[in-house]
Amino acid sequence: MSSSTERLTMSADSDRANAPGRLKRLAPVLTGLTALTCLLGWLQKQPCASVRFDFLKTTASACYTDVYPLYYVRGLSDGKLPYFDTFTGSDIRYVEYPVLSGGFMQLVAWLVKPFGVDGRGLAFYNVTVLLLAVLAVVAVLATAYAAGRRSLRTGLMIALSPALLLTAYINWDLLAVALSALALAAWSARRPALAGVLLGLAIAAKFYPLLFLGPLVLLCVRAGQWRPMGRMLAGTAAGWLAVNGPVMLFAWDGWKEFYTFSQKRGIDWGSIFFVLQDHGLEKPASDTGLLNLFGTGTFLVLAAGIAVLALAAPRRPRLPQLMFLVLVAFMLPNKVWSPQYVLWLLPLAVLARPKLPAFVAWQLGEIAYFFGIWWFLLSVSAQTQGADLAGTLSAVLSLDAPDGGISKDVYTLALLARFVTVLLLAVLVVRDVLVPSADIVRSDGADDPAGGVLDGASDVVALARRRGDHHAGVPLPS
């Protein structure tokens, strides 16, 4: 074993030994600050809760949530059971979420049954908020655990992020975010089977964690970690099937609603295609099949590039770097990009690159989009032209919403602000992979704190050099 590998292994062993004690010391601070952010997020939604989330008022005040209206629209208020019972009123006949998210919704519906009929909708929203806040704390602590020596910085970047405050309660995404963070924490603790089970549950709550299998497999192949990879994959299959199997067996039509709905769904307001359809891509935008092909094809090309990067980089990329990149590759060309999807990226962004300047720029882009989407929907709903850029800035400086919302041109700027800042973060992460000395996590001699069995491991397979028992041929800092 080379001296570089020995030093990596010793550093990895030291980080793992110190991780529980480090998290125990930081847990009260991170828990308290996350709870404070979640409380502020709840308060931000109160102007809309006071009017029972009337749509026009929610867009004007930028405090929209899916939780309250879907309690009624998806039949939960009538005692309908997700996936087993149908409902009327739209083209969607069953709850269009993956099984674990539907189960979460049903659990809260049962919990609020003791409330009166008139107050049950708000009770459903408030109980959901409470549980999502707990999941936010779990996500922060799990991510901090996986961060190694930079637990405090990483945890604070998530706990105090504007994105968490503004988007935590729009939908049920924090369930998948917390389970994904727990899976990464379990993997970093070298418990691949448990990591797989948690990842399987995350996939059962939301589709996007499925993408993380690619980076895990690629990096395990490069490091020759075949047995942990197999245990992780088996755990993932077991966790996913444990939740999905019974529903697939007894409510097939309801189970597949999520997948058929995703295929048939058109362009979302937040997709880059919403802008491109006015700039020469009218045909893909109007043809759902072509849109799916275009988006999926672009993702596959980007994913292939990430695979080459994983196997050919001068030093094996860190696991969060690849997970972040593959998720960005999925989101950038996607036909759907809802405001709360920022929560998917948040833990991985701070693990991949725990530096403030680009992170702050990204958060500002997300803030611009968050208010932009609601104010644009206000102008669409009210059928007004909406304020131009000067009018929008004047209203914002007056701490007010623009009367009648914003114009499509202003909304396009907000959409591009988010798109470009996410792309910038991805470019910087790629730069860190190609130039390991620029990676702040590795600047003090660490390898891959979240990498588990990959942390300090030797390379076995790499495209850029011959197989050898050393770590990518890149010496560690002295």
Side-chain angles (χ1 to χ4, degrees):
M1 183 180 291
S2 69
S3 60
S4 291
T5 302
E6 289 173 350
R7 290 164 64 185
L8 281 169
T9 303
M10 291 174 62
S11 174
D13 290 343
S14 175
D15 278 350
R16 280 198 308 278
N18 293 330
R22 185 187 301 115
L23 185 62
K24 186 177 180 179
R25 293 191 301 272
L26 297 178
V29 174
L30 295 178
T31 299
L33 290 175
T34 306
L36 175 61
T37 300
C38 289
L39 175 61
L40 294 174
W42 178 77
L43 291 174
Q44 192 267 338
K45 296 287 189 289
Q46 286 312 291
C48 297
S50 64
V51 294
R52 294 183 181 266
F53 297 98
D54 174 85
F55 185 74
L56 280 178
K57 290 185 172 69
T58 61
T59 52
S61 301
C63 48
Y64 174 82
T65 178
D66 286 324
V67 174
Y68 181 87
L70 288 187
Y71 174 67
Y72 295 100
V73 176
R74 295 300 178 258
L76 295 167
S77 61
D78 298 324
K80 301 281 188 180
L81 194 64
Y83 313 111
F84 290 84
D85 295 329
T86 61
F87 45 80
T88 59
S90 71
D91 294 335
I92 302 171
R93 299 175 58 242
Y94 299 91
V95 167
E96 75 279 23
Y97 291 91
V99 169
L100 200 58
S101 290
F104 187 92
M105 296 162 66
Q106 181 60 59
L107 172 64
V108 179
W110 282 330
L111 290 176
V112 301
K113 274 191 173 182
F115 290 84
V117 174
D118 291 341
R120 207 170 282 163
L122 281 178
F124 179 83
Y125 168 73
N126 286 318
V127 172
T128 299
V129 163
L130 179 61
L131 294 178
L132 291 176
V134 172
L135 290 170
V137 172
V138 170
V140 169
L141 295 180
T143 305
Y145 177 87
R149 302 171 195 173
R150 287 179 170 76
S151 295
L152 180 60
R153 173 185 291 201
T154 299
L156 289 176
M157 288 173 73
I158 304 174
L160 299 177
S161 66
L164 178 62
L165 188 156
L166 294 172
T167 68
Y169 310 133
I170 293 178
N171 203 281
W172 292 269
D173 295 67
L174 275 171
L175 176 59
V177 172
L179 287 168
S180 298
L182 286 171
L184 188 56
W187 179 267
S188 71
R190 303 200 172 197
R191 302 184 65 182
L194 176 60
V197 170
L198 290 166
L199 186 58
L201 293 176
I203 298 168
K206 211 76 175 177
F207 175 81
Y208 81 90
L210 179 67
L211 302 171
F212 300 151
L213 292 175
L216 282 162
V217 168
L218 285 168
L219 294 179
C220 283
V221 167
R222 179 158 177 173
Q225 297 291 335
W226 310 107
R227 182 173 295 180
M229 181 180 76
R231 295 176 65 189
M232 179 273 298
L233 292 173
T236 302
W240 187 86
L241 282 171
V243 175
N244 283 272
V247 181
M248 293 170 67
L249 186 61
F250 297 106
W252 174 259
D253 288 340
W255 175 83
K256 70 178 183 179
E257 181 74 35
F258 164 72
Y259 302 96
T260 55
F261 171 73
S262 298
Q263 284 293 313
K264 295 176 182 176
R265 195 171 183 179
I267 291 178
D268 175 71
W269 301 99
S271 170
I272 190 63
F273 289 108
F274 185 78
V275 175
L276 296 179
Q277 67 183 344
D278 295 330
H279 296 83
L281 285 182
E282 296 89 351
K283 177 60 176 176
S286 60
D287 186 329
T288 303
L290 192 57
L291 180 64
N292 291 337
L293 181 63
F294 198 91
T296 302
T298 303
F299 166 67
L300 291 176
V301 170
L302 293 173
I306 293 170
V308 172
L309 181 69
L311 298 175
R315 184 171 174 180
R316 187 175 59 248
R318 291 187 293 110
L319 178 59
Q321 291 175 320
L322 281 197
M323 292 172 76
F324 175 76
L325 290 176
V326 76
L327 187 51
V328 170
F330 175 73
M331 294 171 73
L332 290 181
N334 208 300
K335 63 181 180 180
V336 179
W337 191 344
S338 299
Q340 73 273 12
Y341 288 5
V342 62
L343 298 171
W344 303 1
L345 290 169
L346 195 53
L348 297 176
V350 299
L351 287 171
R353 200 171 191 273
K355 287 184 177 182
L356 280 178
F359 177 81
V360 170
W362 170 45
Q363 291 294 288
L364 291 174
E366 293 288 351
I367 292 171
Y369 180 74
F370 177 83
F371 287 98
I373 178 60
W374 306 125
W375 292 343
F376 178 60
L377 290 178
L378 174 61
S379 71
V380 172
S381 301
Q383 296 183 337
T384 64
Q385 182 67 29
D388 60 11
L389 183 58
T392 301
L393 292 176
S394 176
V396 169
L397 291 174
S398 302
L399 301 180
D400 201 359
D403 288 335
I406 60 175
S407 68
K408 188 173 184 179
D409 289 341
V410 177
Y411 172 67
T412 297
L413 292 176
L415 188 154
L416 291 176
R418 178 181 62 170
F419 188 92
V420 170
T421 51
V422 170
L423 180 60
L424 172 64
L425 266 179
V427 170
L428 291 172
V429 170
V430 171
R431 192 278 307 265
D432 290 346
V433 171
L434 294 175
V435 186
S437 59
D439 184 357
I440 188 175
V441 174
R442 285 174 161 166
S443 63
D444 58 3
D447 180 36
D448 188 359
V453 295
L454 304 168
D455 191 18
S458 301
D459 275 351
V460 172
V461 177
L463 298 180
R465 59 179 180 78
R466 292 181 300 172
R467 174 176 172 173
D469 188 21
H470 56 287
H471 194 89
V474 178
L476 289 169
S478 58

